[in-house]
């Protein structure tokens, strides 16, 4: 069963192409240096958005417009400085100002509410966090050496660093939740999971993707597999989404083994975390758990063959700095599948930048 809460993929792609053409036209209509300046100063815009998210300006405006004095009091800011930030953000289309001078939410401002259905407040807080900015300041070194820079900078692997810095870890998890919320509906709308009786989510985190699949597929059961300390946090999420009674939770490492017994294995944003040798170990462990014909579905940002604006181009650099890992093209996934004993059958696009790389065990 598929859901119909999103527009057809071909409509989304047509809109994307139209926006691409408009963007290129806009670029040609202005002096190249001005276009470049816009892109460079985008870093300042992003930091302004991060500060609004840190201060929870959108939450403060959730009950209605406020004058600057009251807004500043509620978020703990200097009124004059906050009014200047608001002016800059309103210029970018984030928030709005009424005729009487009061500030209010608009569509973009609403996305910074922490309780918005598709909130990006966590993502804004992560990308502008001083630690994350420090990671990106190492990009030059990563490009020169081709090596992961985050472990060198922090003296430990990224996930350990997050575990040792709980405040940053929480911001990171919120950002991942924001990204997942934006992806799960498009993914479940794009693919029919109803043929599968049991679906195993490998590296499934707290089970947000699995919960969405099971909500769209009432006949299916799920197995959620992730590190023991991670799946500890899963029951609450699975209960909240009304699927807890259909999920078996298993803690373990996909570098050791993967639960058997599934008719389909999904892994969302897992393989992109690892360089080829470790990615292959995970895929081979899945292959060892299944019979020929069992389906494998990787939800990933698949790099397009021809360069275009695409979030995966940037998460690819984030992966390089974090673990010397990468986003991959369809051809690169095809090769990994073959080496691990799977055959890639197709890449299923969604209305979001994420795709399902689908194949089966041979
Ligand atoms: C980028 S997150 C993706 C989480 C989830 N699939 C999603 O899309 O929201 C990568 C996941 O891999 C898990 N992971 C990392 N190392 C693992 C291991 N050795 N065994 C099992 N899971 C692991 C992490 O705990 C994390 O949940």
């Amino acid at each position: 069963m598929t859901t119909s809460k999103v527009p057809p993929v071909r409509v989304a792609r047509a809109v994307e192409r139209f926006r691409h053409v408009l963007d290129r036209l806009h670029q040609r209509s202005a002096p190249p240096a001005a276009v470049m300046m816009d892109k460079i100063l985008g870093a300042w815009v992003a930091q302004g958005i991060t500060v609004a998210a840190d201060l929870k300006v959108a939450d403060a405006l959730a009950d209605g417009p406020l004058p600057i004095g009251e807004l500043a009091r509620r978020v703990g800011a200097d009124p004059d400085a906050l009014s200047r930030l608001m002016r800059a953000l309103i210029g970018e289309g984030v928030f709005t100002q009424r005729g009487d001078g009061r500030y209010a939410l608009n569509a973009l401002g609403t996305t910074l509410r922490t309780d918005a259905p598709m909130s990006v407040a966590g993502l804004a807080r992560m990308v502008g966090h001083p630690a994350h900015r420090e990671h990106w300041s190492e990009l030059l070194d990563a490009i020169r050496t081709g090596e992961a820079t985050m472990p060198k900078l922090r003296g430990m692997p990224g996930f350990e660093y997050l575990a040792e810095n709980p405040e940053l870890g929480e911001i990171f998890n919120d950002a991942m939740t924001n990204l997942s919320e934006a992806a799960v509906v498009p993914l479940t709308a794009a693919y029919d999971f109803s043929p599968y009786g049991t679906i195993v989510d490998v590296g499934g985190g707290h089970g947000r993707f699995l919960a969405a699949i099971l909500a769209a597929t009432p006949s299916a059961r799920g197995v959620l597999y992730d590190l023991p300390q991670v799946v500890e946090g899963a029951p609450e999420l699975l209960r909240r989404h009304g699927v807890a009674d259909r999920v078996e939770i298993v803690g373990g490492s996909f570098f050791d083994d993967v639960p058997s017994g599934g008719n389909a294995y999904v892994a969302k944003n897992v393989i992109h975390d690892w360089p080829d040798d470790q990615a292959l170990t995970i895929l081979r462990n899945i292959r060892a758990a299944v019979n020929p014909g069992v389906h494998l579905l990787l939800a990933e940002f698949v790099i397009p063959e021809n360069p275009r604006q695409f979030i995966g181009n940037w998460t690819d650099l984030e992966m390089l700095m974090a673990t010397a890992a990468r986003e991959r093209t369809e051809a690169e996934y095809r090769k990994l599948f073959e080496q691990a004993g799977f055959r890639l059958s197709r890449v299923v696009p969604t209305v979001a930048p994420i795709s399902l790389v689908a194949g089966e065990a041979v």
Side-chain angles (χ1 to χ4, degrees), residues 272-344:
H272 82 153
D273 281 341
W274 304 99
D276 283 359
D277 51 348
Q278 285 157 299
L280 268 175
T281 303
I282 300 168
L283 293 176
R284 285 183 175 135
N285 282 341
I286 298 175
R287 180 63 190 85
V290 305
N291 291 323
V294 165
H295 285 189
L296 174 65
L297 300 154
L298 306 182
E300 297 284 1
F301 297 130
V302 179
I303 299 282
E305 294 297 340
N306 299 315
R308 62 175 167 83
Q309 197 180 44
F310 182 59
I311 185 178
N313 297 335
W314 297 100
T315 55
D316 177 57
L317 297 175
E318 175 105 349
M319 293 305 120
L320 167 63
M321 289 185 285
T323 54
R326 63 197 312 127
E327 305 291 0
R328 296 175 172 89
T329 61
E330 178 175 342
E332 288 166 336
Y333 277 112
R334 188 177 299 283
K335 191 168 163 208
L336 275 188
F337 270 47
E338 275 169 21
Q339 289 174 318
F342 290 93
R343 187 173 44 79
L344 192 157

Side-chain angles (χ1 to χ4, degrees), residues 77-347:
D78 175 80
D80 175 59
L82 182 62
S83 73
R84 291 154 69 183
L85 175 67
M86 294 301 284
R87 178 173 63 198
L89 291 174
I90 289 167
E92 299 294 330
V94 184
F95 302 116
T96 178
Q97 192 170 19
R98 299 278 171 91
D100 62 7
R102 288 180 306 160
Y103 295 93
L105 291 176
N106 59 359
L108 284 186
T110 300
T111 67
L112 294 180
R113 277 180 66 167
T114 48
D115 62 353
M118 232 173 246
S119 172
V120 291
L123 187 64
R125 295 190 69 208
M126 183 189 86
V127 171
H129 191 281
H132 194 259
R133 291 217 161 257
E134 222 179 336
H135 294 158
W136 273 79
S137 67
E138 298 296 310
L139 180 61
L140 178 61
D141 183 41
I143 300 302
R144 279 197 171 128
T145 63
E147 292 170 2
T149 47
M150 208 189 289
K152 282 194 260 181
L153 179 70
R154 301 300 177 197
M156 63 186 87
F159 280 109
E160 263 176 49
Y161 179 69
L162 289 176
E164 290 203 359
N165 293 272
E167 184 246 334
L168 182 61
E170 199 180 315
I171 290 174
F172 175 82
N173 286 334
D174 284 350
M176 294 305 107
T177 304
N178 289 172
L179 289 174
S180 265
E181 284 298 337
V184 292
V185 171
L187 282 168
T188 50
Y191 194 83
D192 180 10
F193 290 90
S194 65
Y196 309 125
T198 300
I199 297 155
V200 182
D201 189 356
V202 179
H206 288 176
R208 183 63 191 95
F209 184 33
L210 186 59
I213 293 173
L214 296 183
T217 320
S219 56
R221 303 189 64 78
V223 177
L224 178 67
Y225 185 59
D226 206 297
L227 294 167
Q229 68 272 23
V230 174
V231 291
E232 261 175 30
E236 196 273 322
L237 184 146
L238 296 172
R239 266 196 301 277
R240 190 155 26 94
H241 288 275
V243 298
D245 58 340
R246 288 193 279 144
V247 178
E248 182 192 350
I249 297 176
V250 181
S253 171
F254 47 46
F255 290 117
D256 298 332
D257 53 23
V258 168
S260 57
N263 309 106
Y265 284 68
V266 300
K268 176 175 159 296
N269 295 134
V270 169
I271 297 304
H272 82 153
D273 281 341
W274 304 99
D276 283 359
D277 51 348
Q278 285 157 299
L280 268 175
T281 303
I282 300 168
L283 293 176
R284 285 183 175 135
N285 282 341
I286 298 175
R287 180 63 190 85
V290 305
N291 291 323
V294 165
H295 285 189
L296 174 65
L297 300 154
L298 306 182
E300 297 284 1
F301 297 130
V302 179
I303 299 282
E305 294 297 340
N306 299 315
R308 62 175 167 83
Q309 197 180 44
F310 182 59
I311 185 178
N313 297 335
W314 297 100
T315 55
D316 177 57
L317 297 175
E318 175 105 349
M319 293 305 120
L320 167 63
M321 289 185 285
T323 54
R326 63 197 312 127
E327 305 291 0
R328 296 175 172 89
T329 61
E330 178 175 342
E332 288 166 336
Y333 277 112
R334 188 177 299 283
K335 191 168 163 208
L336 275 188
F337 270 47
E338 275 169 21
Q339 289 174 318
F342 290 93
R343 187 173 44 79
L344 192 157
S345 49
R346 64 195 170 117
V347 171

